[in-house]
Amino acid sequence: MPPIKKTKPKRNKSRAIVSKFGAREIDSFVNDFATMSLKGNVDSKTGLVYDDRMVEHHCLFDPDYPECPQRFSHSLERCRNYGLIDRCHKLQSRPATSDELLLQHDSEYIELVKGTSSADDEHLTNLSTKFDAVYFHPATYDLSLLSAGCTIDLATDIATGKLKNGMAIIRPPGHHALKDKACGYCYFNNVAIAAKHIIDNLKMQRILIVDWDVHHGQATQYAFYDDPRVLYFSIHRYENGAMWPNLRESNYDYIGIGKGMGFNVNVPLNKIGLGNSEYLAIFQQILMPIAYEFSPELVIVSAGYDAAIGCQEGEMEVTPACYAHLTSMLMSLANGKICVVLEGGYCLKSLSEGVALTLRTLLGDPCPLIGSIAEPDASAVETILNVINAHRPFWKCLQFQGTTQSVDLDIYSDTVSKKVDILEDNDWPNHKTTFEYVGVPPEEPFPLSGFYPVQSEAVKVELAKRIDELISKTDLLFPTQRTCIAYDKRMALHRNLQEIHPEKPERLMAIVTRLEEAELLQRCKLLESRMSTEEELALIHRKEHVQEMKDTETMKPREMLKVAEKFRSIFLCHDSYRSSLLAVGSVLQIVDEVVSGRSQNGAAAVRPPGHHAENDEACGFCIFNNVALAAKYALDKHELQRILILDWDVHHGNGIQNSFYDDPRVLYISIHRYNNGGFFPSWKNANYNYVGKGRGEGFNVNIPWNTVGLGDADYLAAFTNIVLPIAYQFDPQLVLISAGFDAARGDFLGNCKVSPEGYATMTQLLCGLANGKVILTLEGGYNLRALSASFAMCVKVLLGDSFVSPPPGPGPCDSAIQSINNVISAHKKFWSCLKYQVNLPALKVENEEGKSELVQGAEGGIPSSLTEDFAQLNLTISAEDEYDSFAAYAVIPKTDCPHLKFVDSLMKTFNLDVSTSKCSRCNEMQENWICILCHEVYCGRYINGHMLDHYEENTAHCLAISLSDLSSWCYVCDSYIHDENILTSIKEVLHEKKFGHPPPKPSLS
């Protein structure tokens, strides 16, 4: 914060940089939208649809046929055993109409299936030989109509907001049903029909279909292969075409045609025995990045459970509990609108358990622990890289691999116009994409039985034993109380008595008020606050530091000011010590509450913040390190062994890092602005190459941003590429979030663009860890509206509510991609999950003139076929949404400083070496400012205060610019100042002299 008159400017966190990318950078979320979206529809429920008559469909000629009625009855029974059905809103089943079926199927084929209702057994058996892996029963037609009708109604109610989410436990399944043929146990394509119904009737433009059935849903692929409104994503066993349905088009290079190019994503698995680590890697490396960039309005899951352990058809190793995690990640999309539709799954134990745990997750119960994730299999890594290479011309989010100069096979038949430069040379290994197809599709007449795999009794017994053991070890207990919260109005007594300061009491009041207005506070368990003891503080802090802070209670103001000025960016008053004790004690209360199982998760609205506080000194508005103390308390008192601290405050949490730098029990991950060491706290140990030491090596992960303006896409890219893979391998027992909201859009201390929805999305992803034991603790955040909206959105997630997803837009920026790659390079030797840093072949693609050209990746933004659609969205501020942008600033710059009239273009020609400039009087190199009029450099008040002395000696020299952050100050006006016509050009010159290049141009991305 700048000084009041007669104090000296210093290098400080609390500066305001008001640049030419000002007012219109702030989105309309800071208006009434935030409260409206926070309230949401808390009464909306999880829907469930089924019909008991669905057991009537069975095979007349083979009692061992895999697609049997027990699949349905066992799944429902398991849900009943867990008490899930009574918690859902039950939809009335109904048959699909002829018009609805015609959205996907030919009328002649519909009539053929209809005719089976009155056919005799012999006719049904003969008809079955004309279709691949199909049997007919007199009830087949009616029950297939029910399956389709149930899916349509459930998906429609979710899409329209009548339901939060839902599951259709139905049979027959649908994703293999072709336009004019039954296929693979399927008669009508339930999911495709529902998606087309919603597109036609609700005019939705972006639907994501995730097909995790172990067999490729070829019919769904065909239905939308040229349609950019539907992103079809299939994970399936392929084995180079040897796995049914044995189709060449199930491979990764089938990406869609025409406008649909890039919207068909096949992830073909070429090995059996793959499990949790591979499926999570596919989600983290491909599905979730593309989905965030696509930003669906609805997610439909073709949920087959035949990749689950024990299924004879899949021969995979996915545990039932893993499906809960996959579902939880998808719930961060489409405002939580996710419709899960049962497809396959033929091991009754793992099928029924997977169905139940999926439904349980939709109901908001925490994801069960699945243990540390193993290194992904090499064959899956190869597939993931092949898929990325095939799709990176279309998706900005898939730009983290390098590019080789070699030309790969032609795999595209349509036109692609986007192109980027080949990445700089690196020492990464080169990945070679390969094609092999050994499949032989079956032909008519098709066998009636014996075509499906059969397990021996010994194998069945062994698998059943393994599944039972998994179920018995899966802890599904969770507290009846969802979210606890701690705050105390006495923390507002901590204030800066010398000047207006961004870390002000109103921050706490704004949060509490917003929670009350959104009716969230009333739904939380309010814990009684308490003061921490000196013994608890000693877990992290030296007793000398504690005593010095304690002594401030009785100090005279002048003495207290001298103590504060010993530290970087600290203010003190007589109530600071007690407020700090309350902050620490409140966080420890939540630790006790959550770890002991009385509440599922918690939020601490506390101040002063803590993550900069070192063991022996206060720093950066922080007196005691709240989160570091919470972690050490949980380790010592509750005997936890693995704690994840995720710090998304825009400033590096130096205090937390130093507290656990050699401790492998605490994984500290910080996402922060670094600006090559130029951003507070401006220490080099905030860079990516500081990874921990000794036994803690690899457990300190810094993700440093080196530019301004980073937003949701960049933070989510950090999550999918680094945070989630490492966190799942670490397998924490508790997640602590150092939740600073100064990277929020509109906060000019951070100058970033993370939305409240972005923070909510990150919270949702973290809630999949540690059995949902997540504690969010306030750190920074100085735009009161952005702060309160973002904090409340996170609490909304903790309470299990749906939330508004981030809007569609461009993927991560080039600078973020570089930073993320630097982190991966530094940590891949410690974490086997970081397997994807390679060079991929350039692809040869036909351009619009029919000539070949090399394409390495998308330049940025969403695929071109969606550009026009997205341009119609309300992504800019309308006239009625505009407001005085400075009204929400934590530090309001003065825009009409009369003393700027003395400034001309002198600063454009001076020859000062800004990067090495020392104070003209004491040679200090930190906290320095430059006089705009005479170009002399002096230090600010946190050093020796010589810039103030310079002004007092010559009061005409009242204007100064910080060489650290380019904020500008007028001593006469006693305020930060800004003038777009005068100061912007000066700051551009200083920026170029300091960093060797012009400042980044403003962007609305």
Side-chain angles (χ1 to χ4, degrees):
M1 180 68 189
I4 58 172
K5 192 178 293 186
K6 297 301 181 183
T7 59
K8 309 169 187 178
K10 63 152 282 184
R11 168 62 191 279
N12 197 325
K13 276 178 65 175
S14 55
R15 82 291 185 273
I17 303 177
V18 182
S19 66
K20 60 186 176 184
F21 37 114
R24 292 184 183 273
E25 291 276 309
I26 302 177
D27 222 333
S28 58
F29 77 87
V30 292
N31 291 307
D32 293 337
F33 134 81
T35 300
M36 294 167 56
S37 64
L38 285 169
K39 286 185 178 180
N41 183 8
V42 297
D43 294 324
S44 62
K45 289 191 172 184
T46 294
L48 178 64
V49 63
Y50 62 90
D51 193 301
D52 290 327
R53 291 173 290 175
M54 290 177 178
V55 295
E56 297 172 8
H57 171 69
H58 65 274
C59 184
L60 297 171
F61 48 79
D62 184 355
D64 297 322
Y65 208 92
E67 209 295 286
C68 60
Q70 289 81 2
R71 298 180 58 249
F72 173 81
S73 57
H74 278 57
S75 297
L76 277 181
E77 185 61 26
R78 195 61 177 160
C79 292
R80 286 194 182 96
N81 291 342
Y82 282 137
L84 304 177
I85 292 180
D86 290 341
R87 295 170 57 191
C88 297
H89 174 79
K90 177 71 163 57
L91 274 71
Q92 181 65 44
S93 62
R94 61 110 178 153
T97 66
S98 296
D99 287 342
E100 289 168 340
L101 295 182
L102 287 169
L103 291 171
Q104 171 63 18
H105 298 286
D106 289 344
S107 58
E108 295 83 357
Y109 169 66
I110 296 171
E111 287 301 314
L112 183 148
V113 180
K114 184 177 181 180
T116 63
S117 299
S118 57
D120 58 30
D121 291 358
E122 181 179 0
H123 176 77
L124 295 176
T125 302
N126 290 335
L127 183 62
S128 299
T129 64
K130 299 182 182 298
F131 300 97
D132 187 8
V134 163
Y135 66 80
F136 286 96
H137 181 278
T140 296
Y141 174 69
D142 289 338
L143 297 181
S144 296
L145 290 181
L146 280 177
S147 288
C150 289
T151 305
I152 292 169
D153 284 358
L154 178 65
T156 300
D157 282 357
I158 294 170
T160 57
K162 293 179 181 178
L163 294 171
K164 179 167 63 173
N165 53 43
M167 189 169 194
I169 302 178
I170 55 171
R171 61 181 293 270
H175 70 146
H176 297 305
L178 300 164
K179 188 177 183 66
D180 58 353
K181 294 178 183 176
C183 182
Y185 313 159
C186 303
Y187 306 90
F188 300 135
N189 197 317
N190 307 313
V191 165
I193 293 170
K196 290 188 174 185
H197 174 84
I198 289 170
I199 288 172
D200 288 354
N201 291 277
L202 301 182
K203 308 305 178 185
M204 276 195 171
Q205 294 299 306
R206 300 183 308 281
I207 295 176
L208 168 63
I209 297 176
V210 178
D211 190 338
W212 68 46
D213 189 283
V214 82
H215 302 94
H216 179 227
Q218 84 281 19
T220 308
Q221 172 172 304
Y222 300 154
F224 303 105
Y225 202 58
D226 62 350
D227 191 341
R229 297 172 299 179
V230 176
L231 172 60
Y232 176 66
F233 192 102
S234 175
I235 311 170
H236 50 268
R237 182 177 156 196
Y238 184 59
E239 294 187 274
N240 298 308
M243 177 66 176
W244 193 92
N246 312 106
L247 299 172
R248 174 67 180 84
E249 56 264 39
S250 300
N251 211 350
Y252 67 86
D253 55 314
Y254 276 74
I255 63 168
I257 59 174
K259 290 185 177 181
M261 287 185 74
F263 293 91
N264 191 88
V265 185
N266 285 327
V267 185
L269 302 176
N270 293 313
K271 184 178 179 180
I272 63 171
L274 305 181
N276 295 357
S277 60
E278 290 77 27
Y279 274 70
L280 286 170
I282 291 165
F283 265 59
Q284 292 159 3
Q285 299 297 321
I286 310 173
L287 173 55
M288 298 309 295
I290 290 178
Y292 288 132
E293 192 168 336
F294 179 63
S295 189
E297 298 167 279
L298 175 68
V299 178
I300 305 177
V301 181
S302 276
Y305 295 87
D306 34 11
I309 180 173
C311 186
Q312 67 273 22
E313 297 213 5
E315 297 184 85
M316 294 296 189
E317 294 279 327
V318 180
T319 64
C322 185
Y323 288 106
H325 288 261
L326 304 183
T327 304
S328 179
M329 281 189 270
L330 293 176
M331 290 168 67
S332 67
L333 299 165
N335 302 355
K337 295 180 178 181
I338 174 171
C339 175
V340 180
V341 182
L342 181 61
E343 299 283 2
Y346 307 99
C347 171
L348 299 182
K349 277 183 177 290
S350 60
L351 163 66
S352 58
E353 193 71 13
V355 167
L357 296 189
T358 300
L359 180 57
R360 181 179 179 273
T361 303
L362 293 174
L363 284 162
D365 296 352
C367 294
L369 297 174
I370 54 176
S372 178
I373 297 303
E375 179 178 352
D377 186 85
S379 69
V381 173
E382 179 182 14
T383 290
I384 288 170
L385 291 172
N386 288 342
V387 175
I388 290 173
N389 198 39
H391 283 274
R392 64 180 180 156
F394 308 98
W395 300 98
K396 176 66 174 176
C397 58
L398 301 180
Q399 307 304 313
F400 292 90
Q401 286 71 32
T403 303
T404 63
Q405 296 286 348
S406 61
V407 179
D408 202 12
L409 302 174
D410 281 323
I411 68 170
Y412 302 137
S413 59
D414 214 314
T415 60
V416 176
S417 59
K418 290 194 171 184
K419 184 176 179 181
V420 298
D421 295 332
I422 294 177
L423 298 182
E424 296 179 2
D425 292 338
N426 56 58
D427 59 358
W428 304 346
N430 294 332
H431 173 76
K432 175 64 177 176
T433 58
T434 58
F435 291 86
E436 183 179 0
Y437 176 64
V438 299
V440 180
E443 296 180 354
E444 190 178 343
F446 299 98
L448 293 175
S449 62
F451 59 87
Y452 47 82
V454 178
Q455 297 165 338
S456 68
E457 287 303 315
V459 170
K460 288 181 181 179
V461 170
E462 178 60 28
L463 287 171
K465 181 179 178 181
R466 288 182 60 195
I467 296 169
D468 287 339
E469 185 177 0
L470 275 173
I471 293 173
S472 66
K473 290 182 177 180
T474 301
D475 182 10
L476 298 181
L477 297 176
F478 62 95
T480 55
Q481 178 61 49
R482 179 80 185 199
T483 301
C484 64
I485 193 168
Y487 70 93
D488 193 306
K489 293 181 179 179
R490 288 176 291 173
M491 296 180 208
L493 297 175
H494 168 66
R495 63 181 66 238
N496 191 324
L497 302 178
Q498 308 299 317
E499 58 191 15
I500 299 173
H501 196 280
E503 206 296 277
K504 53 189 176 182
E506 289 82 355
R507 297 176 63 239
L508 182 60
M509 298 300 101
I511 288 172
V512 174
T513 300
R514 179 61 65 94
L515 292 174
E516 289 175 336
E517 290 175 348
E519 300 174 2
L520 298 173
L521 187 63
Q522 300 88 322
R523 297 167 56 200
C524 298
K525 177 181 180 181
L526 179 60
L527 301 183
E528 183 177 351
S529 61
R530 71 168 175 89
M531 294 188 182
S532 62
T533 65
E534 292 185 18
E535 291 76 14
E536 290 167 341
L537 295 178
L539 292 171
I540 292 292
H541 297 288
R542 293 182 180 177
K543 62 180 180 180
E544 294 83 0
H545 172 54
V546 174
Q547 187 61 50
E548 185 174 37
M549 294 299 99
K550 184 177 182 179
D551 290 345
T552 61
E553 289 188 292
T554 57
M555 284 183 181
K556 294 180 179 179
R558 192 177 299 272
E559 295 175 315
M560 198 158 40
L561 183 61
K562 288 182 179 180
V563 172
E565 291 190 346
K566 289 171 50 180
F567 307 115
R568 300 181 69 199
S569 296
I570 286 295
F571 64 83
L572 296 168
C573 70
H574 288 138
D575 294 292
S576 295
Y577 178 67
R578 287 181 174 271
S579 295
S580 300
L581 295 182
L582 280 170
V584 174
S586 296
V587 178
L588 300 187
Q589 286 284 78
I590 295 180
V591 171
D592 286 335
E593 179 80 8
V594 172
V595 176
S596 63
R598 294 190 294 272
S599 290
Q600 178 62 50
N601 53 49
V606 296
R607 61 178 295 273
H611 71 146
H612 293 306
E614 301 283 1
N615 65 349
D616 59 351
E617 64 178 28
C619 177
F621 310 168
C622 305
I623 295 174
F624 299 132
N625 202 313
N626 306 318
V627 170
L629 285 162
K632 194 65 166 62
Y633 181 79
L635 293 171
D636 290 1
K637 179 179 178 180
H638 294 282
E639 299 182 340
L640 299 186
Q641 294 299 311
R642 297 181 309 281
I643 297 174
L644 166 64
I645 300 176
L646 192 286
D647 189 340
W648 67 44
D649 189 283
V650 80
H651 304 93
H652 178 238
N654 52 286
I656 300 178
Q657 172 170 303
N658 292 334
S659 295
F660 302 105
Y661 201 61
D662 60 355
D663 191 339
R665 299 174 300 171
V666 176
L667 170 61
Y668 176 63
I669 304 179
S670 176
I671 310 174
H672 53 270
R673 272 188 65 189
Y674 180 62
N675 287 63
N676 300 302
F679 195 74
F680 188 93
S682 307
W683 288 319
K684 65 180 181 180
N685 66 357
N687 210 358
Y688 65 87
N689 55 326
Y690 282 78
V691 299
K693 68 178 181 179
R695 295 177 61 229
E697 198 173 19
F699 293 89
N700 191 86
V701 183
N702 286 324
I703 306 174
W705 302 139
N706 288 312
T707 189
V708 300
L710 278 73
D712 296 341
D714 308 291
Y715 278 74
L716 291 175
F719 261 66
T720 56
N721 284 278
I722 300 172
V723 176
L724 291 178
I726 292 178
Y728 269 97
Q729 187 170 344
F730 180 66
D731 187 28
Q733 298 164 293
L734 176 67
V735 176
L736 302 175
I737 305 175
S738 268
F741 296 97
D742 37 7
R745 186 186 292 268
D747 192 309
F748 270 68
L749 268 70
N751 205 4
C752 289
K753 302 177 185 176
V754 181
S755 68
E757 303 95 329
Y759 286 116
T761 302
M762 292 188 284
T763 303
Q764 171 70 24
L765 293 172
L766 293 172
C767 283
L769 300 163
N771 202 22
K773 295 182 185 297
V774 175
I775 298 173
L776 182 141
T777 301
L778 178 64
E779 297 284 0
Y782 307 101
N783 176 324
L784 299 186
R785 283 185 278 183
L787 165 66
S788 58
S790 299
F791 191 97
M793 282 288 276
C794 293
V795 171
K796 183 176 174 68
V797 174
L798 295 178
L799 284 165
D801 294 351
S802 301
F803 59 93
V804 177
S805 301
C813 70
D814 292 342
S815 179
I817 291 172
Q818 182 63 57
S819 292
I820 290 169
N821 271 329
N822 289 341
V823 178
I824 293 173
S825 294
H827 280 274
K828 60 186 178 183
K829 62 183 177 182
F830 306 113
W831 301 99
S832 62
C833 55
L834 304 178
K835 306 281 291 185
Y836 309 96
Q837 194 168 71
V838 302
N839 294 312
L840 297 174
L843 298 170
K844 190 168 68 174
V845 183
E846 289 185 3
N847 61 22
E848 293 179 354
E849 290 77 31
K851 299 178 181 180
S852 294
E853 61 180 25
L854 293 183
V855 178
Q856 287 82 42
E859 283 186 324
I862 51 188
S864 57
S865 53
L866 282 189
T867 303
E868 293 182 1
D869 291 335
F870 287 173
Q872 304 304 316
L873 297 175
N874 183 23
L875 299 181
T876 57
I877 301 176
S878 62
E880 59 269 23
D881 286 332
E882 288 189 2
Y883 66 100
D884 179 3
S885 60
F886 292 149
Y889 291 0
V891 181
I892 303 175
K894 184 179 178 66
T895 59
D896 58 350
C897 171
H899 309 95
L900 284 171
K901 64 185 179 182
F902 301 113
V903 178
D904 55 23
S905 60
L906 291 174
M907 294 289 286
K908 296 182 180 181
T909 59
F910 76 117
N911 296 315
L912 181 69
D913 185 351
V914 176
S915 62
T916 60
S917 299
K918 299 178 182 179
C919 174
S920 299
R921 299 191 182 181
C922 66
N923 291 327
E924 176 61 50
M925 292 188 64
Q926 294 186 346
E927 311 287 357
N928 286 343
W929 293 65
I930 183 170
C931 175
I932 294 179
L933 297 180
C934 69
H935 308 169
E936 291 287 334
V937 174
Y938 298 100
C939 60
R941 68 178 167 103
Y942 282 116
I943 308 299
N944 295 311
H946 291 133
M947 179 55 76
L948 177 61
D949 294 340
H950 174 68
Y951 160 66
E952 290 177 337
E953 292 164 1
N954 187 346
T955 55
H957 291 227
C958 60
L959 305 172
I961 294 181
S962 167
L963 294 183
S964 298
D965 55 32
L966 305 186
S967 55
S968 45
W969 180 263
C970 177
Y971 281 100
V972 178
C973 294
D974 190 26
S975 174
Y976 277 125
I977 58 173
H978 182 69
D979 184 286
E980 199 159 311
N981 296 323
I982 299 174
L983 291 179
T984 296
S985 60
I986 293 175
K987 291 179 181 181
E988 287 176 346
V989 173
L990 286 172
H991 188 286
E992 187 159 7
K993 289 182 179 293
K994 182 177 178 67
F995 297 109
H997 58 82
K1001 295 298 181 183
S1003 169
L1004 292 179
S1005 63

